[in-house]
């Protein structure tokens, strides 16, 4: 990905993974290069004390990437998607890139065939034109890398 581009973010997927990481809970470094959580969103979500920090970490990383715009996709059927949308705008307003948040019926479907997709959902990354393993990149650059089980090693 080059500078001044737009990235498309699987909002709940990435934010929840970072919340899990910030809570020192279990993460998996998978063979496809992504880091995944075991939280298992099932239609209910609530903002927690780690939410704002997770969004800010995303903002810091996107700023370093010198993007032009980020578009978050949030699933409408998931509870508190409107509150999360407001929080994303609130936290990211200090950054120099444009932010958009779309609440859609199916975020995964909205990301199909797009370039510069940020997700760790296998179905999403397989169907996107290109994707970025943002959580792995954030962990690699962190002073305190995330704790995860590494499934990338071959025997």
């Amino acid at each position: 990905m080059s500078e001044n581009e737009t990235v498309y973010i699987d909002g709940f997927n990435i934010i929840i993974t970072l919340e899990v990481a910030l809570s020192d809970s279990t993460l998996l470094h998978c063979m496809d290069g992504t880091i995944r959580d075991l939280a298992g969103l099932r239609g209910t979500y609530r903002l927690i004390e780690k939410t704002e920090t997770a969004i800010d970490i995303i903002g810091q990383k996107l700023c370093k990437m010198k993007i032009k715009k980020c578009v978050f996709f949030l699933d409408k059927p998931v509870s508190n998607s409107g509150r999360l949308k407001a929080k994303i705008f609130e936290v990211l307003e200090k950054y120099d890139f444009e932010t958009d948040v779309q609440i859609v019926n199916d975020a995964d479907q909205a990301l199909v065939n797009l370039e510069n997709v940020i997700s760790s959902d296998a179905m999403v990354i397989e169907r996107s034109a290109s994707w970025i393993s943002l959580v792995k990149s954030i962990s690699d650059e962190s002073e305190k890398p995330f704790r995860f089980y590494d499934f990338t090693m071959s025997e």
Side-chain angles (χ1 to χ4, degrees), residues 27-100:
L27 295 170
L28 308 174
H29 184 197
C30 300
M31 293 176 67
D32 60 7
T34 62
I35 292 183
R36 294 186 173 96
D37 63 77
L38 298 174
L41 177 65
R42 298 284 184 258
T44 58
Y45 173 81
R46 65 181 176 81
L47 280 71
I48 62 172
E49 84 177 47
K50 308 286 187 201
T51 304
E52 189 168 326
T53 303
I55 296 167
D56 193 50
I57 289 170
I58 293 168
Q60 291 170 32
K61 179 61 180 172
L62 296 178
C63 193
K64 286 180 188 175
M65 293 168 62
K66 299 182 180 174
I67 65 158
K68 175 181 163 186
K69 179 179 180 179
C70 68
V71 180
F72 284 80
F73 289 99
L74 301 175
D75 293 284
K76 186 176 188 174
V78 177
S79 60
N80 294 307
S81 54
R83 286 190 173 136
L84 183 56
K85 176 180 180 174
K87 181 59 75 175
I88 290 168
F89 279 125
E90 175 190 321
V91 173
L92 298 184
E93 70 182 352
K94 65 186 174 189
Y95 293 101
D96 289 335
F97 51 81
E98 182 182 344
T99 301
D100 186 19

Side-chain angles (χ1 to χ4, degrees), residues 9-20 26 36-48 51 73-82 84 103-108 119-121 124:
I9 303 172
D10 189 350
F12 282 114
N13 177 271
I14 296 302
I15 291 169
I16 291 170
T17 301
L18 287 170
E19 289 172 344
V20 168
T26 303
R36 294 186 173 96
D37 63 77
L38 298 174
L41 177 65
R42 298 284 184 258
T44 58
Y45 173 81
R46 65 181 176 81
L47 280 71
I48 62 172
T51 304
F73 289 99
L74 301 175
D75 293 284
K76 186 176 188 174
V78 177
S79 60
N80 294 307
S81 54
L84 183 56
I103 297 179
V104 296
N105 285 328
D106 186 349
D108 293 356
S119 180
S120 61
D121 184 313
V124 171

